[in-house]
């Protein structure tokens, strides 16, 4: 039986364990939703779960790589070269905040190249650029502090899509906003709660209340449930032809049926 795990990641330098949430779904049921593990500990937990149940698919909500032009500029030819380099350089890159990275006070958006990966440009709802390491909605800090852990998961036997031929256990990149209708205002508890109870009435009420408690728990829960609902697409993941940008940039997994809804209020 395939189990699905989604992790709402955090790039916080301190107190990351409070913001990192892990949700697990088995046979369509949300059976676990918890925080309290820092980045190293949650990766160790994923490795343990993958060893106990090889048919495990993990969704992580940070960028797995950079736009191809930046990888070429750095001399990186594979995902593993990206992860190895960033694992060693992440803290220095964050401290320096030099182009193409931006978002810290006193920096401006870079103009060295396209800020978005092809996968981000293909999405209906575009996330922020991986180069943005500060300001509202920034994903760069979490991504820089996440990529090195992909090397750890790979060394532990996980295949990382789309860089590897899909095997078990496996890891995919997710974007939680694709798993909720546009009308859900994630910053509002009532909006989170109403959506969870209306969309997933069959799930454990205690875990749904926990998921409604904060945005991080909500993102982990809805991502795991969306992945479980579209499990066939995670079992039969697309392959990309040699030379396509996704093989160096990565690719966001998206549910095949997008949740419908009105435009967000904020």
């Amino acid at each position: 039986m395939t189990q699905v795990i989604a992790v709402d990641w955090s790039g916080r330098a301190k107190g990351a364990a409070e913001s990192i949430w892990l949700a697990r779904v088995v046979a369509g049921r949300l059976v676990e939703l918890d925080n309290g593990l820092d980045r190293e500990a949650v990766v160790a937990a994923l490795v343990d779960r993958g060893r106990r149940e090889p048919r495990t698919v993990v969704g992580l909500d940070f960028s797995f790589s950079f736009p191809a032009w930046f990888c070429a500029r750095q001399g990186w030819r594979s995902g593993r070269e990206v992860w190895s380099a960033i694992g060693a350089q992440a803290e220095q890159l964050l401290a320096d905040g030099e182009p193409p990275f931006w978002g810290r006070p006193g920096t401006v958006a870079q103009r060295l190249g396209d800020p978005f990966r092809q996968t981000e440009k293909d999405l209906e709802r575009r996330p922020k650029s991986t180069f943005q390491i500060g300001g509202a909605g920034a994903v760069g800090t979490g991504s820089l502090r996440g990529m090195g852990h992909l090397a750890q998961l790979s060394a532990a036997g996980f295949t990382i899509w789309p860089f590897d031929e899909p095997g078990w256990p496996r890891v995919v990149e997710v974007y939680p906003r694709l798993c909720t209708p546009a009308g859900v205002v994630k910053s509002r508890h009532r909006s989170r709660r109403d959506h969870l109870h209306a969309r997933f009435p069959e799930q454990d009420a205690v875990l749904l209340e926990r998921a409604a408690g904060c945005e991080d728990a909500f993102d982990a829960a809805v991502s795991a449930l969306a992945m479980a609902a579209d499990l066939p697409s995670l079992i039969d993941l697309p392959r990309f032809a040699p030379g396509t940008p996704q093989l160096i940039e990565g690719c966001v997994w998206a549910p095949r049926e997008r949740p419908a809804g009105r435009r967000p209020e904020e």
Side-chain angles (χ1 to χ4, degrees):
M1 181 179 297
T2 304
Q3 70 174 347
V4 171
I5 299 173
V7 177
D8 190 70
W9 194 253
S10 173
R12 293 172 60 178
K14 297 180 180 180
E18 185 68 20
S19 299
I20 295 173
W21 283 79
L22 183 151
R24 184 164 63 100
V25 175
V26 179
R29 302 292 297 180
L30 182 64
V31 297
E32 182 179 3
L33 179 64
D34 213 347
N35 66 342
L37 299 178
D38 63 16
R39 286 182 286 271
E40 290 289 346
V42 81
V43 169
L46 294 175
V47 170
D48 179 69
R49 302 283 169 71
R51 286 174 178 162
R52 291 171 181 267
E53 175 49 76
R55 285 187 67 89
T56 295
V57 56
V58 174
L60 299 174
D61 74 332
F62 59 81
S63 302
F64 284 10
S65 187
F66 300 96
W69 67 265
F70 182 68
C71 295
R73 176 174 173 162
Q74 301 300 116
W76 301 328
R77 296 166 295 177
S78 68
R80 280 167 183 76
E81 291 185 7
V82 175
W83 309 330
S84 177
I86 295 301
Q89 301 172 18
E91 296 307 318
Q92 191 61 54
L93 291 171
L94 288 168
D96 293 343
E98 296 180 352
F101 299 98
W102 65 280
R104 299 286 174 82
T107 65
V108 296
Q110 60 85 26
R111 296 187 177 87
L112 297 179
D114 193 332
F116 295 105
R117 298 176 292 158
Q118 185 60 49
T119 185
E120 291 155 348
K121 291 187 283 189
D122 290 341
L123 294 176
E124 294 176 5
R125 303 181 196 175
R126 185 177 296 184
K128 300 288 187 176
S129 167
T130 308
F131 294 131
Q132 185 179 346
I133 58 174
V139 299
T141 303
S143 298
L144 287 171
R145 289 184 170 139
M147 291 180 194
H149 293 292
L150 294 174
Q152 291 178 271
L153 290 168
S154 177
F158 284 77
T159 60
I160 315 297
W161 180 76
F163 306 93
D164 301 318
E165 283 292 312
W168 299 102
R170 61 186 56 173
V171 180
V172 300
E173 179 182 342
V174 297
Y175 177 37
R177 205 58 172 114
L178 297 177
C179 302
T180 56
V184 176
V185 183
K186 293 201 303 177
S187 61
R188 296 180 182 174
H189 174 266
R190 183 61 176 269
S191 186
R192 297 192 301 265
R193 186 179 186 276
D194 287 352
H195 170 68
L196 287 166
H197 284 277
R199 175 66 181 83
F200 307 107
E202 76 286 356
Q203 298 296 333
D204 182 274
V206 172
L207 291 179
L208 290 185
E209 286 298 320
R210 187 178 300 172
C214 68
E215 291 185 53
D216 301 320
F218 178 85
D219 280 347
V222 297
S223 296
L225 288 166
M227 292 168 66
D230 200 8
L231 194 54
S233 76
L234 288 163
I235 292 173
D236 187 21
L237 288 164
R239 273 75 164 177
F240 294 95
T244 53
Q246 287 84 354
L247 292 183
I248 186 66
E249 295 184 341
C251 187
V252 177
W253 174 84
R256 288 178 295 190
E257 290 189 13
R258 305 292 194 274
R262 56 187 172 81
R263 299 300 302 169
E265 299 174 39
E266 62 184 36

